[in-house]
Amino acid sequence: MSVTPEQLPSVSREWHLVRRPSGWPVPEDFALREVPVTAPAEGRVLVRNLHFSVDPYMRGRMNDVKSYVPPFQLDHPMEGGAVGEVIASNAEGFAVGDHVLHFAGWREYAAVPARHATKVDAQAAPLSAYLGVLGMTGLTAYAGLFDVASFKEGDSVFVSGAAGAVGSQVGQLAKLKGASRVIGSAGSDEKVKLLVEEYGFDAAFNYKDAKPVVEQLKEAAPDGVDVYFDNVGGEHLEAAISRMNVHGRATICGMIAGYNDTEPTPGPRNLAMVIGKRLRLQGMLVGDHEALQPEFVREVGAWVRSGELKYRETVVEGVENGVEAFLGMLRGENTGKMIVSLA
C-alpha cells in the first residue's frame, strides 16, 4: 500500500442507472449515490478521476437488450472512459501520482484492476485528450476512415455529425491525407462555420435547415461522394446513398438520430441503389481495430502537437452534472468531445 487507509477519502459519489429509459432519457432514470471508499485490493489501484467521458453509445447500454456490449445494470455504477490520478496502489508497476486511463467513469473514485489501467503521459498532451482526440473517439475516426472505408488520396468525403468528437477528426484526417473534397453536416450555423473556418472542411451545411439533407448534400458535393462516414443514420444515410459514386464506401459508425426512438427506425428508401452503384456499407466497432493503436498514436499525436489537427472539447464541471452532460450530448449541445471534469 502506498497510503494508509486513514489517508483515503471516506466516500465517493457515483452515478447509477435506476430505471431503463423509454425513448429519451430523463434525469429520474439516474441517481447520484454516495458509496464508501476502501483501500485497493491486491492487484488494484485506487484512482481519483479527473475527467470522464459521456458518449452516444452509452444510450444503447441503458436498454436491457443483447448487444455487442452488456447493458448497464440497474442500481450499479455506470461505466465509461475516464482518466485520473492514482492515489493508492496495491499493484506492481503503479505508483501514487501516476496518471491512468481506465473504464470506470461516472464516479469520483474508482478501484481499478491494474490490468485494466493504462498509464498516460500528462506532459505529452492534456489528460482530457486521452478521452477524445488521442483516445477511443480518435481511434474510431482513424480506423473508420482508413481501415473500414479504405480511404485513398483524391477521394471526396462526406461526414455526418461532423462537429462532434469523431466527425471533426474524420474530416481533418481526410484533408491531411489528400481528400479532393470534404463535406460535413452539423446542427447549427455556428458549427457549420467552425467546420469550414477552423477544421478546414471544403463545405458544410446545417441539417436543421428547411431544405432536405439530400438537396443540401447535392449542392455541397456536385461531383458526388466516394466515402461517407455515418454518425447519424436516418435521413443522412439515405442522402449519402443517393450521392455516392460507383464503388463508394460507407463506414456506419453511429446512428444517433434513432437512438431514442421507441419504434424501429425505417431503413433508407433508396437502398436498391447499393446494387447498381456497387456500394460497400460496413458497420464498425472500435474494439476491432486495437492493432492500429500504436500507428494511430504516433501519427495523430504528431499532428496534434504540430497544430495541424485541431480539436475542441465541451467541458461540464462536477460529477453532479454528469447526467446533464450526457443528455446535452444527446441533444447535440456539445462541440467536439463532451467531457465531465472533476479536477
Side-chain angles (χ1 to χ4, degrees):
M1 280 296 300
S2 303
V3 299
T4 64
E6 291 75 18
Q7 295 173 296
L8 297 177
S10 57
V11 296
S12 171
R13 290 179 293 173
E14 56 187 33
W15 281 103
H16 290 204
L17 185 68
V18 297
R19 184 177 67 185
R20 301 208 179 274
S22 176
W24 280 86
V26 295
E28 292 74 21
D29 296 328
F30 311 88
L32 184 62
R33 292 173 171 168
E34 289 190 350
V35 298
V37 175
T38 59
E42 185 175 354
R44 289 178 174 259
V45 292
L46 182 64
V47 181
R48 178 172 69 92
N49 283 338
L50 300 174
H51 311 280
F52 69 81
S53 175
V54 291
D55 301 282
Y57 80 88
M58 294 175 177
R59 175 61 186 88
R61 294 196 68 185
M62 295 172 186
N63 300 328
D64 189 14
V65 295
K66 187 176 182 179
S67 185
Y68 63 90
V69 63
F72 290 136
Q73 297 181 55
L74 293 180
D75 297 308
H76 284 73
M78 294 185 291
E79 300 172 336
V83 65
E85 180 182 1
V86 174
I87 63 168
S89 174
N90 201 1
E92 188 175 346
F94 289 86
V96 169
D98 286 346
H99 292 103
V100 295
L101 177 68
H102 60 89
F103 209 65
W106 288 93
R107 66 200 85 179
E108 293 178 302
Y109 296 90
V112 181
R115 66 183 185 277
H116 294 159
T118 302
K119 289 184 185 180
V120 293
D121 185 356
Q123 302 302 315
L127 287 173
S128 58
Y130 293 103
L131 298 174
V133 65
L134 294 177
M136 183 179 71
T137 52
L139 181 59
T140 299
Y142 189 89
L145 180 64
F146 298 133
D147 200 5
V148 180
S150 306
F151 171 87
K152 61 184 184 297
E153 185 177 355
D155 279 342
S156 172
V157 179
F158 171 45
V159 187
S160 59
V166 173
S168 59
Q169 200 156 340
V170 170
Q172 292 183 81
L173 291 174
K175 291 293 291 184
L176 287 164
K177 287 290 192 177
S180 62
R181 188 168 178 80
V182 175
I183 304 106
S185 73
S188 72
D189 292 341
E190 292 76 15
K191 290 180 179 180
V192 166
K193 184 178 179 181
L194 172 72
L195 292 176
V196 175
E197 296 186 0
E198 184 167 332
Y199 293 152
F201 282 58
D202 296 289
F205 60 85
N206 183 347
Y207 69 85
K208 293 182 180 179
D209 286 350
K211 188 180 295 186
V213 170
V214 67
E215 292 184 19
Q216 296 196 71
L217 180 58
K218 184 177 181 179
E219 293 174 2
D223 297 322
V225 171
D226 301 303
V227 169
Y228 171 47
F229 198 104
D230 190 13
N231 293 302
V232 176
E235 185 183 2
H236 279 79
L237 178 56
E238 185 171 300
I241 290 172
S242 75
R243 295 302 302 157
M244 288 178 77
N245 296 324
V246 172
H247 298 301
R249 293 90 64 203
T251 294
I252 312 301
C253 177
M255 293 189 171
I256 196 171
Y259 283 176
N260 296 300
D261 291 350
T262 55
E263 298 294 329
T265 304
R269 295 169 296 181
N270 58 349
L271 200 57
M273 286 187 176
V274 171
I275 303 169
K277 294 183 178 184
R278 284 86 85 199
L279 303 181
R280 191 180 84 210
L281 279 59
Q282 183 174 337
M284 79 161 291
L285 296 177
V286 68
D288 294 340
H289 303 275
E290 292 177 353
L292 286 176
Q293 180 77 17
E295 174 188 323
F296 157 71
V297 171
R298 182 175 61 254
E299 190 165 26
V300 174
W303 284 327
V304 170
R305 287 189 296 273
S306 69
E308 292 174 273
L309 196 151
K310 301 174 175 63
Y311 69 96
R312 286 199 181 188
E313 296 171 341
T314 300
V315 178
V316 174
E317 301 285 349
V319 67
E320 66 276 8
N321 295 314
V323 163
E324 186 51 43
F326 172 71
L327 298 178
M329 178 272 304
L330 289 180
R331 293 190 293 260
E333 295 172 3
N334 58 302
T335 299
K337 187 78 186 72
M338 181 70 93
I339 299 284
V340 179
S341 179
L342 315 182

